[in-house]
Amino acid sequence: MKTSFAVFLRRNLAFAKLAIVSNLEYRLNYFVDAIVQPTLTTGIEMLLWVAVFAGATSAEIAGFTREYYLSYALWGAFFARICTSWMYEFRMIQEIDSGSVNSLLVRPMTFYEYYFSQLMGYKFITTLVSMVVPVMVVLAFRLPTHFERLPLAFALEFYYLILVHSISFVIASCAFYLNKVYSFTGAKNLALWLFTGELFPLDLMPEPLKSFVIALPFSAGVYVPVGYLTGRLEVASVTQAFISITVGLVVVNLLGAYMWKKGVNVYTGTGA
Amino acid sequence: MMATLKKYFSLYLALFRTSFIADLEYRVNFLTRIATDIFWYIAQILTFEVLFRHTPKIGDWNLEQMRVFLGVMFVVDGLYMIILSENLDQFSEKVRKGDLDLLLAKPVNSQFMLSLQKASTAMIGNLMLGTAWFIYALVSLPQFEWLRLLWLLVLIPCGLVALYAMRFVMASTAVIFARSENLQFIWYQIYRLGMRPDSIYVPWFKWMILTVIPVGVIASVPSRALLEPPQWGLFAWAVVLAGILIYLSNKFWKFALKFYSSASS
């Protein structure tokens, strides 16, 4: 039992390392992906908040000053970059769509864990590299940030990534039944974009929409960790987010397991 | 000249018809693409609707005016998605797989073929939704002068041409660099600058997005024509700029082709 767990860990660590090495192979591409893109997004969002406060009649919105919102926009763009999965979801769909999933089905590991470890490896290195930017900006402009809260915020973010991957697994499983499911990824990511809180803090929404959206596990992608990091939320919200992700994980993984099992049974391999 | 225009127009019609038939083949994909953009529209609308609950003005405009801006943006974006986006998004793929060889060998302009070969007819539904929002926004405006809509006949095509030329130049870099996917992703960030009204930016940056990286002419300039007294100089600049950009895109394409070495076997 102990040996098989060690093998499992070693194997998944190898997948994670593979993801890190293959992403760092094209350094310019990686630099653009991890640094330039979120920096530009941050700039655009921060400019919007400057304009919002320039037109506002008071110095505070929902009890927070301009600096809090600038800090939220800054961290929000980087957390959003971490909690979104495009590349690996596309690859998972492609494997099933093209038939090359055959070669994975016969290996001593699951399709889920193969891509999960790669996603985690990629997100780990991206977090490490890209977080340099918000940290430097926060220090330079003295934006409100509780650095001591970073570990818990990241723990929540990486727990949320398990849910993100599980959703990707469900979407990839759709490729067993339908052709051209790539557009599902776009639709899903845009819906999550709305529900994670990247665009604005979710508590600015009117009721009852606000309570509903915050209760969903997707708020753990950006709103809760960034809100906690910038002092907008307290630890109770983080605990609540951990619980809602857990519920989401159970539901999504049950659905994923069912769809995968049925899908493999109806699947006719076309790949080599 | 007229004969050439007629030839290209009928060629485009044929390409559009073929695209429509091809799009209908995958009906779920057809519907999901419409759904995807609905989420995008909701995200844009919700952002401003929520922000305006906490402030009376953003930049120069109030909520009603911002709705018009969003409407213009949805219409321009819808047209771009139907006519151009799929072609330009798959540009680097065509170069890498060697499909460009086939296009270069055809007896028609290669820039035309690369830019207009495939229409995304599924996006017609999105354009209709965007237009519906635009009409709603205009009707909600107190005392709107409907004759001002005539400005859009000039300014929306100018915005589209500017958008096309910038995107085409960005996509053409795929011919020069082997892997430029992430450079293409930078384009989406630049494009996002144009999805916000130019008045929210500080003066020097506003000047930048109307000249150096002119994403401001895509939706902000047509919206100004509807919402503010005519700014003749700005509108003339939008027309001139469209001409300059289309000329430069063609020059850049010819320059980029000098670096091209066939990828097909």
Side-chain angles (χ1 to χ4, degrees):
Chain A
M1 178 71 184
K2 208 175 162 185
T3 322
S4 65
F5 185 68
V7 170
F8 170 80
L9 272 185
R10 261 208 307 275
R11 186 173 68 209
N12 282 280
L13 198 64
F15 296 149
K17 279 183 185 165
L18 171 75
I20 293 171
V21 172
S22 59
N23 276 290
L24 290 179
E25 194 183 350
Y26 296 96
R27 286 176 204 174
L28 178 64
N29 264 328
Y30 188 74
F31 174 74
V32 172
D33 179 38
I35 302 277
V36 180
Q37 273 196 72
T39 305
L40 284 170
T41 311
T42 307
I44 297 166
E45 295 307 318
M46 288 175 87
L47 284 169
L48 177 68
W49 282 107
V50 169
V52 168
F53 272 91
T57 46
S58 70
E60 287 186 355
I61 289 177
F64 293 94
T65 59
R66 191 180 79 156
E67 278 61 40
Y68 275 93
Y69 285 93
L70 292 180
S71 186
Y72 185 94
L74 173 69
W75 286 106
F78 283 87
F79 271 80
R81 191 87 195 90
I82 296 169
C83 77
T84 320
S85 172
W86 284 96
M87 186 170 67
Y88 284 101
E89 190 168 309
F90 260 78
R91 286 187 193 171
M92 287 161 80
I93 296 170
Q94 206 167 26
E95 294 271 15
I96 298 171
D97 206 24
S98 66
S100 53
V101 70
N102 285 352
S103 61
L104 290 175
L105 290 174
V106 294
R107 288 186 202 176
M109 44 136 210
T110 64
F111 183 74
Y112 183 98
E113 67 168 296
Y114 178 63
Y115 277 105
F116 174 70
S117 307
Q118 287 196 62
L119 177 77
M120 285 300 183
Y122 166 65
K123 292 296 181 184
F124 173 75
I125 190 72
T126 304
T127 306
L128 220 59
V129 174
S130 67
M131 282 301 155
V132 175
V133 179
V135 169
M136 278 166 54
V137 175
V138 162
L139 293 176
F141 294 97
R142 297 183 181 197
L143 295 175
T145 298
H146 297 266
F147 282 109
E148 74 282 3
R149 294 182 173 186
L150 260 176
L152 188 56
F154 280 135
L156 180 66
E157 190 70 2
F158 276 82
Y159 190 51
Y160 176 73
L161 268 178
I162 306 175
L163 179 65
V164 168
H165 178 69
S166 301
I167 297 172
S168 294
F169 183 71
V170 170
I171 289 177
S173 300
C174 293
F176 283 123
Y177 312 94
L178 300 163
N179 286 322
K180 297 243 180 196
V181 293
Y182 296 99
S183 51
F184 285 13
T185 302
K188 183 261 298 177
N189 280 346
L190 273 170
L192 293 190
W193 186 43
L194 199 62
F195 294 133
T196 53
E198 182 190 351
L199 296 166
F200 49 81
L202 296 174
D203 54 37
L204 293 183
M205 281 186 176
E207 288 287 9
L209 197 60
K210 170 180 149 182
S211 301
F212 171 71
V213 175
I214 290 175
L216 291 173
F218 312 117
S219 63
V222 176
Y223 171 69
V224 179
V226 175
Y228 178 63
L229 199 58
T230 54
R232 202 180 183 92
L233 300 172
E234 292 308 317
V235 75
S237 304
V238 180
T239 312
Q240 181 61 43
F242 269 111
I243 295 167
S244 62
I245 294 172
T246 308
V247 175
L249 276 173
V250 172
V251 174
V252 174
N253 279 308
L254 280 174
L255 178 68
Y258 174 75
M259 286 183 66
W260 177 263
K261 207 174 162 191
K262 290 263 294 180
V264 171
N265 284 336
V266 299
Y267 178 61
T268 315
T270 52
Chain B
M1 176 73 176
M2 278 310 286
T4 312
L5 277 177
K6 206 174 157 188
K7 173 185 144 188
Y8 277 96
F9 184 68
S10 57
L11 178 61
Y12 184 69
L13 280 183
L15 291 170
F16 193 90
R17 235 186 342 262
T18 317
S19 303
F20 186 61
I21 294 163
D23 282 341
L24 278 179
E25 199 182 339
Y26 298 103
R27 287 177 203 174
V28 175
N29 194 48
F30 194 95
L31 292 173
T32 323
R33 289 180 73 171
I34 295 176
T36 305
D37 262 33
I38 290 174
F39 283 124
W40 185 73
Y41 293 151
I42 293 171
Q44 300 300 326
I45 293 167
L46 203 64
T47 300
F48 285 105
E49 294 288 329
V50 168
L51 292 180
F52 273 105
R53 284 170 52 82
H54 304 277
T55 180
K57 269 176 98 176
I58 296 179
D60 292 342
W61 293 331
N62 59 28
L63 177 61
E64 285 75 23
Q65 291 168 318
M66 197 62 80
R67 284 178 183 152
V68 173
F69 169 80
L70 288 176
V72 172
M73 192 179 82
F74 294 160
V75 170
V76 177
D77 186 69
L79 290 168
Y80 171 75
M81 296 294 276
I82 294 168
I83 304 167
L84 298 158
S85 77
E86 197 164 331
N87 300 293
L88 300 176
D89 288 349
Q90 290 175 357
F91 200 112
S92 58
E93 198 70 3
K94 281 178 188 163
V95 174
R96 209 170 35 233
K97 286 186 176 170
D99 295 349
L100 183 58
D101 293 5
L102 290 171
L103 295 178
L104 289 173
K106 286 187 194 298
V108 281
N109 185 295
S110 58
Q111 187 173 351
F112 172 87
M113 280 306 281
L114 268 167
S115 310
L116 299 167
Q117 192 181 22
K118 175 81 175 71
S120 296
T121 55
M123 298 297 172
I124 292 173
N126 301 63
L127 179 65
M128 285 160 72
L129 284 172
T131 309
W133 172 266
F134 180 49
I135 294 167
Y136 158 75
L138 288 178
V139 171
S140 310
L141 265 186
Q143 297 168 331
F144 175 66
E145 294 169 36
W146 290 90
L147 266 179
R148 286 187 178 207
L149 282 175
L150 292 175
W151 278 115
L152 299 188
L153 295 176
V154 180
L155 294 174
I156 283 189
C158 287
L160 261 179
V161 167
L163 174 57
Y164 160 71
M166 284 182 283
R167 179 73 183 96
F168 183 80
V169 168
M170 205 69 158
S172 301
T173 56
V175 179
I176 303 171
F177 306 109
R179 284 183 73 111
S180 67
E181 291 95 333
N182 275 321
L183 278 177
Q184 312 308 326
F185 287 128
I186 288 185
W187 158 254
Y188 294 108
Q189 303 301 330
I190 295 171
Y191 184 36
R192 276 184 73 180
L193 287 170
M195 291 181 188
R196 299 274 159 83
D198 60 352
S199 61
I200 74 163
Y201 302 120
V202 289
W204 67 268
F205 198 73
K206 185 175 156 183
W207 179 85
M208 287 266 291
I209 64 159
L210 290 172
T211 52
V212 186
I213 31 168
V215 283
V217 296
I218 298 167
S220 290
V221 173
S223 302
R224 283 187 181 280
L226 297 177
L227 300 168
E228 295 170 1
Q231 299 175 35
W232 303 101
L234 183 64
F235 301 162
W237 167 242
V239 177
V240 172
L241 184 72
I244 294 172
L245 286 173
I246 202 84
Y247 172 77
L248 288 178
S249 73
N250 185 254
K251 280 277 168 204
F252 187 80
W253 174 236
K254 286 178 179 161
F255 167 75
L257 275 180
K258 288 179 188 165
F259 294 85
Y260 182 60
S261 52
S262 171
S264 62
S265 52

